[in-house]
Amino acid sequence: MSSYILKRLILILPTLFGIILINFTIVQFAPGGPVEQIIAQLTTGNMSTTAGISGGGDSGVSAKVDVGGGAENLGSYGLDPELIADLQRQFGFDKPAHERFFDMVVNYLQLDFGVSYFQDRQVLDLVVERMPVSISLGFWSLLLIYSISIPLGISKAVRDGSNFDFWTSTVIFIGFAIPGFLFAILLIVVFAGGNYFDFFPSRGLMSENWKNLSWVDQILDYLWHLTLPVTALTIGGFATLTMLTKNSFLEEISKQFVLTARAKGLTEKRVLYGHVFRNAMLIVIAGFPAAFVGIFFTGSLLIEVIFSLDGMGLLSYEAVIKRDYPILFGTMFCLTLIGLVMHLISDIVYVLVDPRIDFETRN
């Protein structure tokens, strides 16, 4: 297993390179880049007469662009061509695409993700600042989803066709049918000072006086703020996993080795958890990396917006809207790296769950 892990770790670098190259190429053809956005703002009068533009190159220099009282007598965009050229220089678009890509790869190898075009801050600082919020939401949501789904799925498989199976399926699919963001709004209306109760805060992960609290009160305050957003993320997340666990167990229970184990006089608990569990959990483990990345970042976007939480999902979304390429590529790099590492961890867990699996000897 050690040589397999080493091979997978070595393959991470070329995989990252390929993914970054593909996304970089796609972005080159996407309309409405940062230069075009600033030109549009200047020509429509939506930017003040002095616009601060942060350099996207290695120097990280900031420059001031004076619009000078109107756009009616300026070039084809309504602006001086020298100003447009200066904007392209500020963002690094005066260089050919392959040169910009090479510079980006070299910087990424040094963990330098550049400077945000519009926030004038290091991308790495922004990622580190936003990461704890996404980790908080993702960790507790996944913990609850897996803690509920796996035991519930096993119980439904054992009692397939019973009233318990019918009613739990009804509740699960109702929860699954309600979008997470809509359920979040409902939670705020009912429990966060809306029209009914005021039990929980509706924004942030900490109270304003959090630093002055004792460590016990800090933990309780943190969990108090997490209750509603984590509930909103969890309610629609465990339906798929519960049904997947149930169907996987049903498929394994009907196999010959289970009948043989029962014929030998083994208890039902020993049959389920000693024989069926390992095989049934493989398909659940296979979906863990995608669930991990999805709920940590992309799945929590609307929840972060509704509860005013500055996480990675919101950061990535804002970068796409504003065409803030350093943040866009930096967060993409982090998400891809986390996804690749999670796939490796998933393979390791495969072996722990079922020692018969050997990735080193497979063809």
Side-chain angles (χ1 to χ4, degrees), residues 140-180:
W140 292 111
S141 299
L142 279 178
L143 183 63
L144 282 176
I145 288 171
Y146 275 77
S147 298
I148 294 171
S149 298
I150 293 177
L152 182 59
I154 296 173
S155 298
K156 287 174 65 61
V158 173
R159 305 177 192 179
D160 184 42
S162 66
N163 288 333
F164 172 81
D165 182 37
F166 173 78
W167 288 112
T168 52
S169 295
T170 302
V171 174
I172 286 172
F173 286 116
I174 290 175
F176 183 71
I178 302 175

Side-chain angles (χ1 to χ4, degrees), residues 171-246:
V171 174
I172 286 172
F173 286 116
I174 290 175
F176 183 71
I178 302 175
F181 71 91
L182 186 61
F183 192 75
I185 295 173
L186 177 64
L187 289 175
I188 290 177
V189 171
V190 177
F191 297 108
N195 297 331
Y196 299 95
F197 306 103
D198 191 10
F199 294 152
F200 299 98
S202 61
R203 57 187 299 126
L205 284 183
M206 294 176 293
S207 299
E208 294 182 359
N209 63 335
W210 188 82
K211 292 183 179 180
N212 298 326
L213 301 175
S214 64
W215 66 271
V216 175
D217 290 334
Q218 286 180 344
I219 294 175
L220 293 177
D221 182 76
Y222 165 74
L223 295 176
W224 181 48
H225 281 76
L226 270 179
T227 300
L228 294 188
V230 167
T231 301
L233 273 175
T234 303
I235 198 67
F238 66 85
T240 303
L241 186 60
T242 300
M243 300 310 296
L244 182 64
T245 303
K246 175 194 173 182

Side-chain angles (χ1 to χ4, degrees), residues 39-318:
I39 288 174
Q41 292 179 22
L42 290 172
T43 54
T44 56
N46 291 331
M47 183 171 284
S48 60
T49 56
T50 302
I53 302 169
S54 302
D58 297 335
S59 62
V61 180
S62 296
K64 297 291 183 182
V65 179
D66 295 322
V67 179
E72 59 276 2
N73 59 346
L74 302 176
S76 60
Y77 284 102
L79 296 172
D80 189 343
E82 292 185 3
L83 175 58
I84 297 175
D86 184 59
L87 287 173
Q88 291 175 334
R89 248 188 333 269
Q90 293 291 329
F91 289 111
F93 293 117
D94 57 325
K95 300 178 182 178
H98 68 275
E99 187 176 336
R100 284 186 280 120
F101 177 74
F102 178 77
D103 291 341
M104 186 178 72
V105 171
V106 171
N107 290 332
Y108 276 24
L109 291 175
Q110 304 173 53
L111 294 181
D112 179 9
F113 299 124
V115 179
S116 167
Y117 288 158
F118 301 101
Q119 299 189 45
D120 197 21
R121 293 183 59 190
Q122 289 288 334
V123 173
L124 186 59
D125 293 339
L126 290 170
V127 170
V128 171
E129 181 182 293
R130 302 289 187 95
M131 188 72 76
V133 175
S134 295
I135 290 177
S136 295
L137 291 175
F139 173 78
W140 292 111
S141 299
L142 279 178
L143 183 63
L144 282 176
I145 288 171
Y146 275 77
S147 298
I148 294 171
S149 298
I150 293 177
L152 182 59
I154 296 173
S155 298
K156 287 174 65 61
V158 173
R159 305 177 192 179
D160 184 42
S162 66
N163 288 333
F164 172 81
D165 182 37
F166 173 78
W167 288 112
T168 52
S169 295
T170 302
V171 174
I172 286 172
F173 286 116
I174 290 175
F176 183 71
I178 302 175
F181 71 91
L182 186 61
F183 192 75
I185 295 173
L186 177 64
L187 289 175
I188 290 177
V189 171
V190 177
F191 297 108
N195 297 331
Y196 299 95
F197 306 103
D198 191 10
F199 294 152
F200 299 98
S202 61
R203 57 187 299 126
L205 284 183
M206 294 176 293
S207 299
E208 294 182 359
N209 63 335
W210 188 82
K211 292 183 179 180
N212 298 326
L213 301 175
S214 64
W215 66 271
V216 175
D217 290 334
Q218 286 180 344
I219 294 175
L220 293 177
D221 182 76
Y222 165 74
L223 295 176
W224 181 48
H225 281 76
L226 270 179
T227 300
L228 294 188
V230 167
T231 301
L233 273 175
T234 303
I235 198 67
F238 66 85
T240 303
L241 186 60
T242 300
M243 300 310 296
L244 182 64
T245 303
K246 175 194 173 182
N247 294 333
S248 181
F249 262 79
L250 283 176
E251 182 180 352
E252 294 297 325
I253 287 173
S254 63
K255 291 184 177 179
Q256 184 63 41
F257 76 91
V258 176
L259 298 176
T260 303
R262 286 172 175 166
K264 289 181 178 180
L266 297 179
T267 63
E268 190 66 17
K269 184 176 181 180
R270 179 71 182 276
V271 171
L272 285 176
Y273 294 99
H275 293 75
V276 177
F277 185 81
R278 286 184 175 181
N279 293 337
M281 283 297 99
L282 292 179
I283 191 171
V284 176
I285 294 171
F288 180 75
F292 179 89
V293 176
I295 202 166
F296 259 63
F297 303 104
T298 56
S300 61
L301 170 60
L302 291 175
I303 303 300
E304 290 176 9
V305 173
I306 292 171
F307 289 98
S308 301
L309 303 173
D310 292 329
M312 287 288 291
L314 185 58
L315 180 66
S316 302
Y317 174 75
E318 291 175 344

